[in-house]
Structures are given as structure tokens and as C-alpha cells.
Amino acid sequence: MRHTAFRQRMAEEFGRVRSEMLAQDHVFSALGGRTVDQALEDGYTTKEVWAAVCETFEVPAERR
């Protein structure tokens, strides 16, 4: 998944403002104690990051 598609999915799921805040501020244990932005910067794939977000926030399977 491309970064633009990832950001679009985040915005669709959480709203544009909240998704940006989550990406910057929420620390995910599944990402080794990183935020979304840090994980992507550190080389995690968008697929790995999206899976961590979905698991943490219990995104329904049909939207994963």
C-alpha cells in the first residue's frame, strides 16, 4: 500500500484531523513503542502499520 493510500484510509477511518493526531502522538506497543510516523520513518511497511492501527482500535475486518 502506498503512503497516500495509507493516509487516506486513516482519514476515512478516523477523520482527517484525528488521524493526523494519532499518527503523530499515539504510541503503539505493536510498533515497538513508536508512533505511526516514527514507525514509517524507521522502515515499517504501511501494511504493518495499518495492521497495528486496526488491531489497537478494533477496526472491523471489512475496513481493514
Side-chain angles (χ1 to χ4, degrees), residues 8-36:
Q8 183 175 345
R9 281 190 183 187
M10 288 281 291
E12 288 171 358
E13 187 63 37
F14 303 106
R16 182 148 317 275
V17 173
R18 183 167 183 233
S19 70
E20 290 173 12
M21 289 182 353
L22 285 174
Q24 293 172 8
D25 299 330
H26 189 88
V27 175
F28 293 83
S29 59
L31 299 174
R34 294 171 177 84
T35 65
V36 165

PDB file of all heavy atoms in Angstrom, residues 8-36:
ATOM      1  N   GLN A   8      -4.994   8.059   3.367  1.00  0.00           N
ATOM      2  CA  GLN A   8      -6.410   8.168   3.015  1.00  0.00           C
ATOM      3  C   GLN A   8      -7.249   7.211   3.868  1.00  0.00           C
ATOM      4  O   GLN A   8      -8.314   7.590   4.365  1.00  0.00           O
ATOM      5  CB  GLN A   8      -6.622   7.861   1.535  1.00  0.00           C
ATOM      6  CG  GLN A   8      -8.057   8.030   1.091  1.00  0.00           C
ATOM      7  CD  GLN A   8      -8.220   7.831  -0.406  1.00  0.00           C
ATOM      8  OE1 GLN A   8      -7.259   7.832  -1.162  1.00  0.00           O
ATOM      9  NE2 GLN A   8      -9.459   7.649  -0.835  1.00  0.00           N
ATOM     10  N   ARG A   9      -6.781   5.989   4.050  1.00  0.00           N
ATOM     11  CA  ARG A   9      -7.506   5.030   4.899  1.00  0.00           C
ATOM     12  C   ARG A   9      -7.605   5.533   6.333  1.00  0.00           C
ATOM     13  O   ARG A   9      -8.641   5.402   6.975  1.00  0.00           O
ATOM     14  CB  ARG A   9      -6.816   3.674   4.904  1.00  0.00           C
ATOM     15  CG  ARG A   9      -7.091   2.855   3.695  1.00  0.00           C
ATOM     16  CD  ARG A   9      -6.563   1.463   3.899  1.00  0.00           C
ATOM     17  NE  ARG A   9      -6.758   0.671   2.700  1.00  0.00           N
ATOM     18  CZ  ARG A   9      -6.518  -0.616   2.610  1.00  0.00           C
ATOM     19  NH1 ARG A   9      -6.055  -1.269   3.669  1.00  0.00           N
ATOM     20  NH2 ARG A   9      -6.714  -1.259   1.501  1.00  0.00           N
ATOM     21  N   MET A  10      -6.511   6.095   6.834  1.00  0.00           N
ATOM     22  CA  MET A  10      -6.514   6.654   8.190  1.00  0.00           C
ATOM     23  C   MET A  10      -7.570   7.758   8.293  1.00  0.00           C
ATOM     24  O   MET A  10      -8.355   7.786   9.243  1.00  0.00           O
ATOM     25  CB  MET A  10      -5.133   7.220   8.547  1.00  0.00           C
ATOM     26  CG  MET A  10      -4.057   6.196   8.795  1.00  0.00           C
ATOM     27  SD  MET A  10      -4.142   5.445  10.435  1.00  0.00           S
ATOM     28  CE  MET A  10      -3.677   6.814  11.481  1.00  0.00           C
ATOM     29  N   ALA A  11      -7.593   8.643   7.317  1.00  0.00           N
ATOM     30  CA  ALA A  11      -8.547   9.759   7.326  1.00  0.00           C
ATOM     31  C   ALA A  11      -9.982   9.266   7.213  1.00  0.00           C
ATOM     32  O   ALA A  11     -10.881   9.784   7.870  1.00  0.00           O
ATOM     33  CB  ALA A  11      -8.225  10.738   6.198  1.00  0.00           C
ATOM     34  N   GLU A  12     -10.210   8.261   6.393  1.00  0.00           N
ATOM     35  CA  GLU A  12     -11.560   7.709   6.243  1.00  0.00           C
ATOM     36  C   GLU A  12     -12.029   7.048   7.532  1.00  0.00           C
ATOM     37  O   GLU A  12     -13.202   7.140   7.884  1.00  0.00           O
ATOM     38  CB  GLU A  12     -11.602   6.709   5.093  1.00  0.00           C
ATOM     39  CG  GLU A  12     -11.498   7.354   3.727  1.00  0.00           C
ATOM     40  CD  GLU A  12     -11.315   6.352   2.603  1.00  0.00           C
ATOM     41  OE1 GLU A  12     -11.222   5.129   2.870  1.00  0.00           O
ATOM     42  OE2 GLU A  12     -11.229   6.798   1.445  1.00  0.00           O
ATOM     43  N   GLU A  13     -11.125   6.403   8.233  1.00  0.00           N
ATOM     44  CA  GLU A  13     -11.494   5.682   9.448  1.00  0.00           C
ATOM     45  C   GLU A  13     -11.653   6.602  10.652  1.00  0.00           C
ATOM     46  O   GLU A  13     -12.564   6.441  11.449  1.00  0.00           O
ATOM     47  CB  GLU A  13     -10.453   4.605   9.759  1.00  0.00           C
ATOM     48  CG  GLU A  13     -10.824   3.690  10.890  1.00  0.00           C
ATOM     49  CD  GLU A  13     -12.071   2.870  10.616  1.00  0.00           C
ATOM     50  OE1 GLU A  13     -12.299   2.434   9.462  1.00  0.00           O
ATOM     51  OE2 GLU A  13     -12.846   2.654  11.572  1.00  0.00           O
ATOM     52  N   PHE A  14     -10.771   7.586  10.781  1.00  0.00           N
ATOM     53  CA  PHE A  14     -10.743   8.406  11.998  1.00  0.00           C
ATOM     54  C   PHE A  14     -11.047   9.878  11.784  1.00  0.00           C
ATOM     55  O   PHE A  14     -11.138  10.621  12.756  1.00  0.00           O
ATOM     56  CB  PHE A  14      -9.360   8.285  12.664  1.00  0.00           C
ATOM     57  CG  PHE A  14      -8.982   6.873  12.995  1.00  0.00           C
ATOM     58  CD1 PHE A  14      -8.035   6.193  12.246  1.00  0.00           C
ATOM     59  CD2 PHE A  14      -9.585   6.202  14.050  1.00  0.00           C
ATOM     60  CE1 PHE A  14      -7.688   4.885  12.544  1.00  0.00           C
ATOM     61  CE2 PHE A  14      -9.253   4.892  14.357  1.00  0.00           C
ATOM     62  CZ  PHE A  14      -8.297   4.234  13.593  1.00  0.00           C
ATOM     63  N   GLY A  15     -11.191  10.298  10.531  1.00  0.00           N
ATOM     64  CA  GLY A  15     -11.335  11.719  10.235  1.00  0.00           C
ATOM     65  C   GLY A  15      -9.950  12.314  10.028  1.00  0.00           C
ATOM     66  O   GLY A  15      -8.969  11.842  10.608  1.00  0.00           O
ATOM     67  N   ARG A  16      -9.863  13.326   9.206  1.00  0.00           N
ATOM     68  CA  ARG A  16      -8.557  13.865   8.827  1.00  0.00           C
ATOM     69  C   ARG A  16      -7.766  14.376  10.030  1.00  0.00           C
ATOM     70  O   ARG A  16      -6.609  14.028  10.227  1.00  0.00           O
ATOM     71  CB  ARG A  16      -8.703  14.980   7.789  1.00  0.00           C
ATOM     72  CG  ARG A  16      -7.353  15.510   7.341  1.00  0.00           C
ATOM     73  CD  ARG A  16      -7.283  15.982   5.921  1.00  0.00           C
ATOM     74  NE  ARG A  16      -7.925  15.182   4.926  1.00  0.00           N
ATOM     75  CZ  ARG A  16      -7.364  14.121   4.315  1.00  0.00           C
ATOM     76  NH1 ARG A  16      -6.167  13.733   4.631  1.00  0.00           N
ATOM     77  NH2 ARG A  16      -8.016  13.458   3.396  1.00  0.00           N
ATOM     78  N   VAL A  17      -8.384  15.203  10.860  1.00  0.00           N
ATOM     79  CA  VAL A  17      -7.665  15.802  11.989  1.00  0.00           C
ATOM     80  C   VAL A  17      -7.255  14.736  12.998  1.00  0.00           C
ATOM     81  O   VAL A  17      -6.096  14.684  13.431  1.00  0.00           O
ATOM     82  CB  VAL A  17      -8.507  16.905  12.651  1.00  0.00           C
ATOM     83  CG1 VAL A  17      -7.841  17.409  13.915  1.00  0.00           C
ATOM     84  CG2 VAL A  17      -8.746  18.051  11.675  1.00  0.00           C
ATOM     85  N   ARG A  18      -8.179  13.869  13.375  1.00  0.00           N
ATOM     86  CA  ARG A  18      -7.858  12.841  14.368  1.00  0.00           C
ATOM     87  C   ARG A  18      -6.797  11.877  13.836  1.00  0.00           C
ATOM     88  O   ARG A  18      -5.910  11.461  14.578  1.00  0.00           O
ATOM     89  CB  ARG A  18      -9.108  12.073  14.779  1.00  0.00           C
ATOM     90  CG  ARG A  18      -8.807  11.060  15.866  1.00  0.00           C
ATOM     91  CD  ARG A  18     -10.063  10.502  16.513  1.00  0.00           C
ATOM     92  NE  ARG A  18      -9.694   9.592  17.585  1.00  0.00           N
ATOM     93  CZ  ARG A  18     -10.140   8.346  17.697  1.00  0.00           C
ATOM     94  NH1 ARG A  18     -11.014   7.873  16.831  1.00  0.00           N
ATOM     95  NH2 ARG A  18      -9.746   7.581  18.690  1.00  0.00           N
ATOM     96  N   SER A  19      -6.860  11.533  12.567  1.00  0.00           N
ATOM     97  CA  SER A  19      -5.868  10.609  12.019  1.00  0.00           C
ATOM     98  C   SER A  19      -4.470  11.221  12.047  1.00  0.00           C
ATOM     99  O   SER A  19      -3.494  10.526  12.328  1.00  0.00           O
ATOM    100  CB  SER A  19      -6.237  10.181  10.602  1.00  0.00           C
ATOM    101  OG  SER A  19      -6.108  11.234   9.677  1.00  0.00           O
ATOM    102  N   GLU A  20      -4.379  12.501  11.791  1.00  0.00           N
ATOM    103  CA  GLU A  20      -3.076  13.171  11.862  1.00  0.00           C
ATOM    104  C   GLU A  20      -2.560  13.197  13.295  1.00  0.00           C
ATOM    105  O   GLU A  20      -1.363  12.986  13.533  1.00  0.00           O
ATOM    106  CB  GLU A  20      -3.175  14.579  11.294  1.00  0.00           C
ATOM    107  CG  GLU A  20      -3.374  14.608   9.787  1.00  0.00           C
ATOM    108  CD  GLU A  20      -3.637  15.996   9.233  1.00  0.00           C
ATOM    109  OE1 GLU A  20      -3.458  16.989   9.965  1.00  0.00           O
ATOM    110  OE2 GLU A  20      -4.022  16.080   8.050  1.00  0.00           O
ATOM    111  N   MET A  21      -3.447  13.451  14.238  1.00  0.00           N
ATOM    112  CA  MET A  21      -3.047  13.456  15.646  1.00  0.00           C
ATOM    113  C   MET A  21      -2.609  12.056  16.084  1.00  0.00           C
ATOM    114  O   MET A  21      -1.606  11.909  16.787  1.00  0.00           O
ATOM    115  CB  MET A  21      -4.178  13.974  16.531  1.00  0.00           C
ATOM    116  CG  MET A  21      -4.417  15.464  16.361  1.00  0.00           C
ATOM    117  SD  MET A  21      -5.688  16.237  17.392  1.00  0.00           S
ATOM    118  CE  MET A  21      -6.490  14.949  18.250  1.00  0.00           C
ATOM    119  N   LEU A  22      -3.358  11.031  15.685  1.00  0.00           N
ATOM    120  CA  LEU A  22      -2.982   9.655  16.027  1.00  0.00           C
ATOM    121  C   LEU A  22      -1.611   9.308  15.460  1.00  0.00           C
ATOM    122  O   LEU A  22      -0.789   8.692  16.146  1.00  0.00           O
ATOM    123  CB  LEU A  22      -4.014   8.662  15.484  1.00  0.00           C
ATOM    124  CG  LEU A  22      -5.331   8.559  16.211  1.00  0.00           C
ATOM    125  CD1 LEU A  22      -6.282   7.648  15.443  1.00  0.00           C
ATOM    126  CD2 LEU A  22      -5.137   8.052  17.620  1.00  0.00           C
ATOM    127  N   ALA A  23      -1.376   9.698  14.232  1.00  0.00           N
ATOM    128  CA  ALA A  23      -0.106   9.374  13.576  1.00  0.00           C
ATOM    129  C   ALA A  23       1.078  10.026  14.287  1.00  0.00           C
ATOM    130  O   ALA A  23       2.161   9.445  14.362  1.00  0.00           O
ATOM    131  CB  ALA A  23      -0.146   9.803  12.113  1.00  0.00           C
ATOM    132  N   GLN A  24       0.856  11.194  14.829  1.00  0.00           N
ATOM    133  CA  GLN A  24       1.937  11.933  15.483  1.00  0.00           C
ATOM    134  C   GLN A  24       2.094  11.581  16.953  1.00  0.00           C
ATOM    135  O   GLN A  24       3.214  11.600  17.473  1.00  0.00           O
ATOM    136  CB  GLN A  24       1.686  13.436  15.378  1.00  0.00           C
ATOM    137  CG  GLN A  24       1.761  13.976  13.986  1.00  0.00           C
ATOM    138  CD  GLN A  24       1.311  15.432  13.911  1.00  0.00           C
ATOM    139  OE1 GLN A  24       1.088  16.079  14.923  1.00  0.00           O
ATOM    140  NE2 GLN A  24       1.175  15.935  12.704  1.00  0.00           N
ATOM    141  N   ASP A  25       0.999  11.295  17.647  1.00  0.00           N
ATOM    142  CA  ASP A  25       1.030  11.244  19.103  1.00  0.00           C
ATOM    143  C   ASP A  25       0.798   9.886  19.753  1.00  0.00           C
ATOM    144  O   ASP A  25       1.292   9.656  20.852  1.00  0.00           O
ATOM    145  CB  ASP A  25      -0.016  12.214  19.676  1.00  0.00           C
ATOM    146  CG  ASP A  25       0.238  13.649  19.266  1.00  0.00           C
ATOM    147  OD1 ASP A  25       1.405  14.014  19.060  1.00  0.00           O
ATOM    148  OD2 ASP A  25      -0.746  14.417  19.158  1.00  0.00           O
ATOM    149  N   HIS A  26       0.038   9.005  19.126  1.00  0.00           N
ATOM    150  CA  HIS A  26      -0.308   7.739  19.778  1.00  0.00           C
ATOM    151  C   HIS A  26       0.846   6.745  19.633  1.00  0.00           C
ATOM    152  O   HIS A  26       1.291   6.450  18.530  1.00  0.00           O
ATOM    153  CB  HIS A  26      -1.587   7.155  19.186  1.00  0.00           C
ATOM    154  CG  HIS A  26      -2.092   5.978  19.957  1.00  0.00           C
ATOM    155  ND1 HIS A  26      -2.943   6.110  21.015  1.00  0.00           N
ATOM    156  CD2 HIS A  26      -1.826   4.651  19.838  1.00  0.00           C
ATOM    157  CE1 HIS A  26      -3.203   4.910  21.522  1.00  0.00           C
ATOM    158  NE2 HIS A  26      -2.528   4.010  20.817  1.00  0.00           N
ATOM    159  N   VAL A  27       1.317   6.228  20.749  1.00  0.00           N
ATOM    160  CA  VAL A  27       2.407   5.253  20.749  1.00  0.00           C
ATOM    161  C   VAL A  27       1.802   3.847  20.746  1.00  0.00           C
ATOM    162  O   VAL A  27       0.974   3.521  21.588  1.00  0.00           O
ATOM    163  CB  VAL A  27       3.319   5.457  21.985  1.00  0.00           C
ATOM    164  CG1 VAL A  27       4.379   4.375  22.047  1.00  0.00           C
ATOM    165  CG2 VAL A  27       3.950   6.845  21.945  1.00  0.00           C
ATOM    166  N   PHE A  28       2.232   3.039  19.799  1.00  0.00           N
ATOM    167  CA  PHE A  28       1.711   1.683  19.622  1.00  0.00           C
ATOM    168  C   PHE A  28       2.732   0.669  20.107  1.00  0.00           C
ATOM    169  O   PHE A  28       3.869   0.640  19.619  1.00  0.00           O
ATOM    170  CB  PHE A  28       1.414   1.412  18.136  1.00  0.00           C
ATOM    171  CG  PHE A  28       0.289   2.221  17.581  1.00  0.00           C
ATOM    172  CD1 PHE A  28       0.499   3.522  17.131  1.00  0.00           C
ATOM    173  CD2 PHE A  28      -0.995   1.700  17.500  1.00  0.00           C
ATOM    174  CE1 PHE A  28      -0.543   4.280  16.616  1.00  0.00           C
ATOM    175  CE2 PHE A  28      -2.037   2.446  16.984  1.00  0.00           C
ATOM    176  CZ  PHE A  28      -1.815   3.735  16.547  1.00  0.00           C
ATOM    177  N   SER A  29       2.326  -0.174  21.031  1.00  0.00           N
ATOM    178  CA  SER A  29       3.233  -1.221  21.507  1.00  0.00           C
ATOM    179  C   SER A  29       3.558  -2.205  20.379  1.00  0.00           C
ATOM    180  O   SER A  29       4.669  -2.732  20.307  1.00  0.00           O
ATOM    181  CB  SER A  29       2.648  -1.950  22.719  1.00  0.00           C
ATOM    182  OG  SER A  29       1.417  -2.542  22.398  1.00  0.00           O
ATOM    183  N   ALA A  30       2.593  -2.446  19.503  1.00  0.00           N
ATOM    184  CA  ALA A  30       2.805  -3.361  18.379  1.00  0.00           C
ATOM    185  C   ALA A  30       3.857  -2.838  17.395  1.00  0.00           C
ATOM    186  O   ALA A  30       4.356  -3.593  16.561  1.00  0.00           O
ATOM    187  CB  ALA A  30       1.495  -3.609  17.641  1.00  0.00           C
ATOM    188  N   LEU A  31       4.182  -1.561  17.505  1.00  0.00           N
ATOM    189  CA  LEU A  31       5.200  -0.966  16.637  1.00  0.00           C
ATOM    190  C   LEU A  31       6.471  -0.649  17.429  1.00  0.00           C
ATOM    191  O   LEU A  31       7.232   0.248  17.090  1.00  0.00           O
ATOM    192  CB  LEU A  31       4.652   0.305  15.977  1.00  0.00           C
ATOM    193  CG  LEU A  31       3.438   0.118  15.075  1.00  0.00           C
ATOM    194  CD1 LEU A  31       2.890   1.454  14.604  1.00  0.00           C
ATOM    195  CD2 LEU A  31       3.789  -0.777  13.886  1.00  0.00           C
ATOM    196  N   GLY A  32       6.660  -1.387  18.500  1.00  0.00           N
ATOM    197  CA  GLY A  32       7.868  -1.224  19.291  1.00  0.00           C
ATOM    198  C   GLY A  32       7.939   0.094  20.046  1.00  0.00           C
ATOM    199  O   GLY A  32       9.027   0.637  20.231  1.00  0.00           O
ATOM    200  N   GLY A  33       6.774   0.587  20.467  1.00  0.00           N
ATOM    201  CA  GLY A  33       6.747   1.841  21.210  1.00  0.00           C
ATOM    202  C   GLY A  33       6.919   3.064  20.327  1.00  0.00           C
ATOM    203  O   GLY A  33       7.406   4.096  20.776  1.00  0.00           O
ATOM    204  N   ARG A  34       6.533   2.949  19.082  1.00  0.00           N
ATOM    205  CA  ARG A  34       6.635   4.052  18.127  1.00  0.00           C
ATOM    206  C   ARG A  34       5.255   4.583  17.772  1.00  0.00           C
ATOM    207  O   ARG A  34       4.267   3.873  17.877  1.00  0.00           O
ATOM    208  CB  ARG A  34       7.300   3.588  16.831  1.00  0.00           C
ATOM    209  CG  ARG A  34       8.735   3.172  16.949  1.00  0.00           C
ATOM    210  CD  ARG A  34       9.196   2.537  15.629  1.00  0.00           C
ATOM    211  NE  ARG A  34      10.586   2.165  15.649  1.00  0.00           N
ATOM    212  CZ  ARG A  34      11.058   1.036  16.142  1.00  0.00           C
ATOM    213  NH1 ARG A  34      10.217   0.147  16.674  1.00  0.00           N
ATOM    214  NH2 ARG A  34      12.344   0.767  16.107  1.00  0.00           N
ATOM    215  N   THR A  35       5.238   5.806  17.294  1.00  0.00           N
ATOM    216  CA  THR A  35       4.021   6.352  16.700  1.00  0.00           C
ATOM    217  C   THR A  35       3.961   5.861  15.253  1.00  0.00           C
ATOM    218  O   THR A  35       4.943   5.296  14.738  1.00  0.00           O
ATOM    219  CB  THR A  35       4.041   7.897  16.705  1.00  0.00           C
ATOM    220  OG1 THR A  35       5.093   8.349  15.843  1.00  0.00           O
ATOM    221  CG2 THR A  35       4.209   8.468  18.101  1.00  0.00           C
ATOM    222  N   VAL A  36       2.848   6.107  14.588  1.00  0.00           N
ATOM    223  CA  VAL A  36       2.719   5.762  13.170  1.00  0.00           C
ATOM    224  C   VAL A  36       3.828   6.439  12.371  1.00  0.00           C
ATOM    225  O   VAL A  36       4.525   5.803  11.572  1.00  0.00           O
ATOM    226  CB  VAL A  36       1.327   6.180  12.631  1.00  0.00           C
ATOM    227  CG1 VAL A  36       1.293   6.175  11.113  1.00  0.00           C
ATOM    228  CG2 VAL A  36       0.247   5.266  13.192  1.00  0.00           C
TER     229      VAL A  36
END
